[in-house]
Amino acid sequence: MLGGSVYVAFIRMVVSIGGTILLFCLMDEPRFGKKKIIGIYGIYFLAALPFSCGWYMMAKKSFVRFAPITLFIMIAIISIYISSTRIYLTMYKLAVTFFLMGVFMIGGIEISMIFFHGSVWADIAARLIILLTMAYVIKKYIRDSIKGFGMYLEREMDRFSIMVLIVSLFFGILYVLRPYNQEEIREHLFRVLTNLFLVGTLQFMVIRLYLHIGKESEYRTENQLMQMNHRLLERQLEFLEESVETGRHIRHDARHHNMVIAEYVRRGQCEELLKYLGEYEKELDEGAAPLICENIAVNNLLSAYTRKAERENIKVSLDIVMEERCAVQDIDLVTILSNAYENAIYGCLEARNQLPDRECFINVLVKRKKNKLVIYCSNTCKFQPDLQDGYQKPEFTGGIGVSSIVKSAKNYGGEPDFRIDNGVFVFRLIMNIPIE
């Protein structure tokens, strides 16, 4: 745009291509190590520079018109291959990168023309200063926000809206990068700057919006976790109250048993005493709470919720095979099982409110298969309850549980599955067991 020899064009291409790659790498999460990334981009860099210089020497006008788009399309293809994020999120990051590339390219040209009479070296120096300033700001202040924004964007925004955002951004970039001669640049300076400002402001507002939405979603999740902890504490208090009441009965019965034993001893009725003690031991064995599994945390949790379900006249079937120690942390097991069981009880109660005479049940299965932990829970539910994004709606579960299950499951590469089959709600989860 400002002319110059092939050497000047070479330096410009080094700054432009290198700067674009640098800005994208600062915002992206690659799937490969640093050495491989440097190697891939290095090969492209070494191939693109001679190609662009030859093109500049042979057909300067077509180079100015088409070279930026051609070279940066190749960068986009390579970057999509390297990136570990989903395609539409990578496309959005590329669009932002190309917008920033347009800013430092047009910025360098305008600074050179306005303040240095179109000096090519002023143009190159201005591009470098703007580029390095952008890189510093992104690395220092924006990088973490961009990563958080990408996570929130994947979770909160539908793909159609993302594509509209990307397309609008690319149109803005194409307008900024369309070639002008010097007279046209002066004439369209205000339009170019206005376009840059509007496109940049739009992207800033979108990022701020989805950061806010994502953080609010996290706050809701934390609130749900607090409510879940409240429910767990309630169950523990119920269990403690039952234990205290059971202790009172034991002490009361113990006094009577001691009196009976003492009377047998006084009368010297040893055979009758042994018979009585055998009956007493048998009674103790029958009255003892059954051991559900060897894992103490899971056993206590399932015992408490099973008693709660049985008090509500819900039939419970348990198939639990858990060793005493599992590589999955107890807090994660408790989070998943307590929420699944709590929601199952809630679903049964809702089904009974819909049809008072309906028989309700809950089936829970927890088993280990090699390096996988399988969790399955099915329960009676209302006919035709709705799902939201494949998960239970909050009003169907009492407002708690699903996000906690999803969050804990992702720690072990698990993805919960929810489905409804003719009035039966089914929750399935397979998690990877860490190697100890």
Side-chain angles (χ1 to χ4, degrees):
M1 290 182 186
L2 292 178
S5 66
V6 67
Y7 302 106
V8 173
F10 176 83
I11 296 172
R12 279 188 181 141
M13 293 306 297
V14 169
V15 174
S16 299
I17 297 175
T20 304
I21 293 173
L22 173 64
L23 293 177
F24 179 77
C25 289
L26 287 175
M27 293 187 287
D28 190 45
E29 299 173 40
R31 70 174 75 184
F32 305 119
K34 289 184 179 180
K35 290 183 178 180
K36 188 170 183 178
I37 293 172
I38 292 172
I40 293 172
Y41 278 125
I43 292 171
Y44 168 75
F45 201 74
L46 293 176
L49 289 177
F51 171 75
S52 60
C53 289
W55 189 356
Y56 184 83
M57 293 173 63
M58 295 176 61
K60 184 176 179 181
K61 289 185 178 180
S62 64
F63 175 84
V64 172
R65 186 173 296 274
F66 299 112
I69 296 175
T70 303
L71 294 173
F72 292 113
I73 285 175
M74 294 302 300
I75 291 179
I77 294 172
I78 296 171
S79 300
I80 290 171
Y81 169 70
I82 288 175
S83 178
S84 64
T85 57
R86 295 184 181 181
I87 180 66
Y88 53 86
L89 184 56
T90 304
M91 290 293 292
Y92 180 78
K93 290 179 181 178
L94 281 169
V96 174
T97 302
F98 292 162
F99 170 77
L100 296 177
M101 177 266 295
V103 170
F104 73 73
M105 285 179 62
I106 297 298
I109 293 172
E110 300 304 337
I111 290 173
S112 173
M113 292 186 62
I114 295 173
F115 299 104
F116 299 97
H117 306 290
S119 169
V120 293
W121 301 111
D123 170 35
I124 293 171
R127 291 188 189 194
L128 275 172
I129 293 172
I130 296 172
L131 172 62
L132 295 176
T133 303
M134 287 178 177
Y136 175 79
V137 172
I138 290 173
K139 186 175 181 180
K140 187 77 174 178
Y141 303 105
I142 303 177
R143 192 173 185 178
D144 293 336
S145 297
I146 290 175
K147 289 183 178 180
F149 167 73
M151 179 180 65
Y152 300 145
L153 193 71
E154 287 187 296
R155 184 191 308 167
E156 305 291 343
M157 197 173 191
D158 63 278
R159 297 187 181 183
F160 175 77
S161 300
I162 294 176
M163 291 309 300
V164 170
L165 194 63
I166 292 172
V167 170
S168 64
L169 187 56
F170 272 120
F171 272 118
I173 295 166
L174 290 174
Y175 179 79
V176 171
L177 295 182
R178 57 175 291 215
Y180 303 107
N181 57 41
Q182 293 190 4
E183 290 75 15
E184 288 178 326
I185 287 179
R186 292 190 182 95
E187 180 181 348
H188 295 285
L189 174 63
F190 178 77
R191 294 180 184 178
V192 170
L193 294 178
T194 301
N195 185 282
L196 287 173
F197 175 77
L198 292 177
V199 173
T201 303
L202 173 64
Q203 300 310 308
F204 176 77
M205 294 300 295
V206 169
I207 291 175
R208 292 279 297 178
L209 172 63
Y210 279 94
L211 281 175
H212 174 75
I213 292 174
K215 288 179 180 178
E216 190 166 327
S217 177
E218 285 190 346
Y219 293 150
R220 287 197 301 269
T221 300
E222 294 299 326
N223 182 50
Q224 290 180 353
L225 288 173
M226 291 175 63
Q227 294 183 51
M228 181 203 72
N229 290 332
H230 177 70
R231 285 190 176 184
L232 288 177
L233 286 173
E234 286 181 343
R235 300 294 167 263
Q236 292 298 324
L237 287 174
E238 291 175 3
F239 183 69
L240 180 61
E241 290 173 359
E242 291 178 1
S243 299
V244 171
E245 189 64 28
T246 302
R248 289 175 182 169
H249 285 296
I250 291 173
R251 288 192 297 272
H252 180 267
D253 293 340
R255 293 191 188 99
H256 292 287
H257 291 304
N258 289 337
M259 292 173 60
V260 173
I261 292 170
E263 188 63 25
Y264 276 122
V265 172
R266 277 194 294 268
R267 294 184 180 186
Q269 297 173 327
C270 294
E271 293 184 3
E272 288 81 359
L273 175 59
L274 291 174
K275 182 181 179 181
Y276 175 79
L277 290 175
E279 292 175 351
Y280 179 54
E281 184 177 357
K282 183 179 179 181
E283 182 182 343
L284 287 176
D285 291 338
E286 292 176 351
L291 182 66
I292 297 175
C293 69
E294 296 180 1
N295 187 287
I296 297 175
V298 174
N299 183 79
N300 292 339
L301 172 76
L302 294 178
S303 297
Y305 275 101
T306 299
R307 286 195 298 272
K308 176 179 173 60
E310 290 174 346
R311 284 198 298 268
E312 299 290 346
N313 295 320
I314 300 172
K315 291 184 178 181
V316 178
S317 174
L318 300 176
D319 186 4
I320 313 296
V321 181
M322 280 284 296
E323 59 268 26
E324 183 177 356
R325 291 187 178 181
C326 180
V328 179
Q329 295 185 8
D330 287 345
I331 184 64
D332 293 315
L333 284 173
V334 168
T335 298
I336 294 169
L337 291 173
S338 63
N339 280 290
Y341 214 149
E342 182 85 42
N343 292 338
I345 294 173
Y346 185 86
C348 289
L349 297 178
E350 287 292 293
R352 189 169 290 161
N353 289 335
Q354 189 180 50
L355 293 173
D357 297 331
R358 191 174 177 191
E359 186 176 353
C360 297
F361 68 87
I362 296 175
N363 298 323
V364 181
L365 178 145
V366 181
K367 286 187 178 181
R368 177 173 182 169
K369 294 185 178 180
K370 296 183 180 180
N371 64 330
K372 304 288 185 181
L373 183 65
V374 180
I375 299 176
Y376 172 92
C377 180
S378 63
N379 61 273
T380 310
C381 69
K382 292 192 300 184
F383 288 103
Q384 296 179 343
D386 295 327
L387 295 182
Q388 179 176 305
D389 298 328
Y391 297 152
Q392 299 161 295
K393 282 190 174 182
E395 58 268 21
F396 179 65
T397 63
I400 302 174
V402 174
S403 58
S404 302
I405 291 174
V406 173
K407 189 173 183 180
S408 297
K410 284 186 176 179
N411 295 333
Y412 304 92
E415 185 70 28
D417 174 59
F418 302 93
R419 65 182 177 88
I420 300 164
D421 185 11
N422 194 27
V424 177
F425 187 86
V426 178
F427 158 66
R428 296 177 296 185
L429 173 64
I430 299 178
M431 297 191 302
N432 298 318
I433 298 178
I435 299 175
E436 295 180 310

